[in-house]
Amino acid sequence: MFRVFAVSNFVTEPARYPSTASFYTAIRIVRRDSVCFCIFPMEEYKLDPATEGRPITCKAAVARKPGEPLVIEDIVVAPPKPHEVRVRIICTSLCHSDITFRNMQDPPGYFPRILGHEAAGVVESVGKDVTEVTKGDMVIPFFLPDCGQCNDCKSSKSNRCTNFPFKVSPSMPRDGTTRFIDQNGEIIHHFMFISSFSEYTVVDIVNVIKMDSEIPPNRACLLSCGVSTGVGAAWRTADVEPGSTVAIFGLGSVGLAVAEGARLCGATRIIGVDVKPEKFEIGKKFGVTDFVHAGECEKKPVSQVIIDITGGGADYCFECVGRASLVHEAYASCRKGWGKTIVLGVDKPGARLSLSSYEVLHDGKSLMGSLFGGLKPKSHVPILLKRYMDKELQLDKFVTHELKFKDINKAFDLLSTGQCLRCVIWMDK
C-alpha cells in the first residue's frame, strides 16, 4: 500500500525544496495539472510496538522565554490516559496565534510551552475508553473540542462544547495536568489542547478526528485552524449566498480562506481590503475580484469607498486582522437592512467595541463572532477534506513553504515578516 503526497511547486520551483525528494524514498512521481504527486511507501509510518503504554523520549521545539526562538530539545511524552490519544506528528503548519503566544509576556502566555495547533499525524497509542480511533489511524487534531454529547454539540446552531469549553489552556482538558516533561523532570505546558511542535503529543479524543489515509498530511494539517476558520466563516457563519458581494478586511491566510469560501459559495464580487497592494495579485488566486488600498482612499473612510463601489454596501463583511477599529469599519461597510459583519481576527485582551445603539436599531445589520468559522470539527472538516480531494477547495495554493523541523524558527521569521501564507514543517526531518 502507498500514500500520496502533494508537493507544492515541486516541478516549477525545485530550488525552494532542495531536499523534498529526500523526505521519503520515492517510488515514482506523477505530474497532474500544476501539482506533483509523489507516491511513497506506507512503511514509513510503522510504529514501534515497544512504546505503547510507556513514556516516549522525542524531540520538541520548546518556547522557553517570551519572544525568543524555540529550543529544539529532548522531552518525555507520557502515555495517554483514559479518553486520550498519543499522536506521532507528521506535519505541522504555523499560525499567527503561535507567534502571538510565543511573544506573550503574561497569562494566558505560559512558559516553558510547546506551541503548535495545526497538524496531521498518526495514532501511536490510545488510552482506555477510546473507540473513535485506533493505533495506526491518520488523524487531524483540533483546538475546538467536539464531544458530540452535550446540547451544544448536538445542536446545529453552535460549534461550542458545553462539556469541554474552549480556552487557551496550558494543560489537558479533563484533569488539568500536562503530559510533557523536560530532561530535568520539569513540566512543559500544553497549547490549545494540541502542542504539535513535538514529534509526539497527547490530545483528548474530543480534539481529534480520523482522516482518510490517502489525504496528503502536508495539506490536511491546514484544516486544523486557519483555512477552516476562513472557509467556514463564509460557508457556515455568514451563509454567503450565490450572487452576493463580500468585503474582506485583511488578506492574510484567514482572509484569503474567507475569499476561497465565498468563491465556493458563489459570491460574484469579492472585495479585498489591505494596506499592501501586492496582496491583490495573491487574492485573485482565491477569487478576489476587487481591491481597496486602505492607505490610499483619498481621505475617504474605507467604508465609504466600499459603499460607493457596491451601491450601498457589501452583503457580507469579514474582519480578519484583529483590530477593534477595523470591526467598526467593516460594520459601517455592510449594507443596511441585511448586511452581516463577521469578526474573525483576534484582538488584544481588553479591546472594546463602541457602537451607536441608535444605528444598531435603525440600520438592521448583524454583527457576530466566528470561532473556527462556525464549523463543528467532526462533522464539517471531513466535508472540506472531500472537497479538496475533489479539486474544489484550493488548499495547495495556501502552502508557500515547506521546511524541515530543525528550521522551525525560520518558519516563524517567514510568517512574522509576511513572506509566507502557510509554512508546513515536516517533523521527521
Side-chain angles (χ1 to χ4, degrees):
M1 297 181 69
F2 301 92
R3 296 192 187 279
V4 181
F5 292 75
V7 183
S8 302
N9 301 325
F10 185 89
V11 175
T12 58
E13 299 180 30
R16 181 177 291 174
Y17 309 116
S19 59
T20 299
S22 66
F23 280 141
Y24 296 88
T25 304
I27 300 300
R28 60 193 176 96
I29 296 176
V30 181
R31 177 126 183 218
R32 189 175 75 190
D33 300 329
S34 61
V35 179
C36 181
F37 287 84
C38 300
I39 302 177
F40 304 104
M42 279 186 65
E43 284 70 20
E44 295 292 345
Y45 291 157
K46 280 187 175 179
L47 301 165
D48 184 356
T51 61
E52 192 168 351
R54 299 180 181 180
I56 290 178
T57 298
C58 68
K59 297 290 185 183
V62 182
R64 285 283 174 184
K65 295 180 180 179
E68 294 190 2
L70 307 187
V71 180
I72 297 180
E73 60 184 77
D74 287 332
I75 67 161
V76 178
V77 183
K81 291 185 177 181
H83 308 287
E84 295 177 357
V85 179
R86 188 160 60 185
V87 178
R88 175 189 166 192
I89 300 296
I90 298 169
C91 291
T92 184
S93 48
L94 191 64
C95 174
H96 273 285
S97 296
D98 298 307
I99 296 175
T100 298
F101 281 88
R102 182 199 64 174
N103 298 336
M104 193 172 290
Q105 300 277 347
D106 302 310
Y110 294 91
F111 297 89
R113 190 176 216 168
I114 299 174
L115 299 168
H117 60 287
E118 294 189 347
V122 58
V123 175
E124 177 272 337
S125 59
V126 301
K128 184 180 177 183
D129 299 323
V130 172
T131 58
E132 292 183 36
V133 298
T134 189
K135 182 175 180 177
D137 284 345
M138 294 291 295
V139 293
I140 304 175
F142 296 93
F143 70 87
L144 193 66
D146 188 352
C147 78
Q149 301 298 319
C150 67
N151 288 338
D152 280 291
C153 286
K154 290 179 178 179
S155 171
S156 62
K157 300 177 182 179
S158 172
N159 67 344
R160 304 302 193 272
C161 179
T162 305
N163 291 335
F164 300 92
F166 169 72
K167 53 186 175 181
V168 187
S169 171
S171 56
M172 295 295 292
R174 293 180 193 264
D175 64 7
T177 62
T178 180
R179 303 292 173 268
F180 306 124
I181 59 171
D182 64 17
Q183 291 296 296
N184 296 318
E186 299 295 326
I187 68 167
I188 301 175
H189 298 293
H190 289 252
F191 179 60
M192 293 178 72
F193 305 135
I194 297 178
S195 293
S196 60
F197 294 164
S198 173
E199 292 176 326
Y200 287 85
T201 190
V202 177
V203 296
D204 196 281
I205 191 59
V206 300
N207 293 100
V208 69
I209 67 165
K210 181 179 177 179
M211 74 173 190
D212 192 320
S213 61
E214 294 184 1
I215 300 171
N218 58 340
R219 297 298 180 265
C221 63
L222 304 183
L223 295 179
S224 282
C225 182
V227 174
S228 288
T229 295
V231 173
W235 168 36
R236 297 289 303 175
T237 304
D239 191 18
V240 170
E241 296 175 329
S244 57
T245 298
V246 168
I248 304 167
F249 289 73
L251 293 180
S253 291
V254 174
L256 293 172
V258 171
E260 176 70 357
R263 181 189 67 82
L264 290 171
C265 289
T268 53
R269 194 170 191 184
I270 303 174
I271 304 165
V273 182
D274 207 288
V275 295
K276 297 180 179 179
E278 61 268 23
K279 293 289 187 73
F280 186 26
E281 290 304 313
I282 300 172
K284 288 178 181 178
K285 299 177 182 179
F286 300 95
V288 175
T289 59
D290 301 78
F291 183 78
V292 174
H293 192 319
E296 297 180 4
C297 291
E298 299 180 353
K299 298 183 180 180
K300 284 185 179 180
V302 170
S303 56
Q304 188 59 53
V305 173
I306 293 176
I307 289 170
D308 290 345
I309 65 176
T310 59
D315 301 308
Y316 307 94
C317 292
F318 298 84
E319 195 283 329
C320 304
V321 178
R323 293 182 185 171
S325 60
L326 287 182
V327 175
H328 284 280
E329 203 66 32
Y331 185 73
S333 301
C334 69
R335 182 175 291 273
K336 295 180 180 180
W338 67 70
K340 291 183 180 180
T341 298
I342 314 299
V343 179
L344 301 173
V346 181
D347 206 341
K348 61 182 181 295
R352 294 285 187 269
L353 298 175
S354 179
L355 299 173
S356 163
S357 60
Y358 180 88
E359 291 179 359
V360 169
L361 172 63
H362 288 267
D363 289 351
K365 304 176 182 181
S366 299
L367 173 64
M368 60 193 308
S370 181
L371 185 63
F372 197 56
L375 300 180
K376 290 180 178 292
K378 297 187 180 184
S379 302
H380 297 133
V381 171
I383 296 173
L384 295 183
L385 288 169
K386 184 179 185 304
R387 297 197 76 172
Y388 167 65
M389 296 302 284
D390 290 343
K391 297 185 179 181
E392 297 174 7
L393 177 61
Q394 303 180 110
L395 288 182
D396 298 328
K397 294 181 179 180
F398 285 94
V399 180
T400 54
H401 297 76
E402 298 191 41
L403 300 176
K404 298 179 181 180
F405 182 35
K406 68 181 183 66
D407 297 321
I408 190 169
N409 285 306
K410 180 180 178 181
F412 272 78
D413 293 340
L414 288 169
L415 190 59
S416 297
T417 55
Q419 298 180 60
C420 74
L421 292 179
R422 274 298 184 265
C423 182
V424 172
I425 298 158
W426 290 86
M427 295 300 295
D428 60 349
K429 297 294 178 182

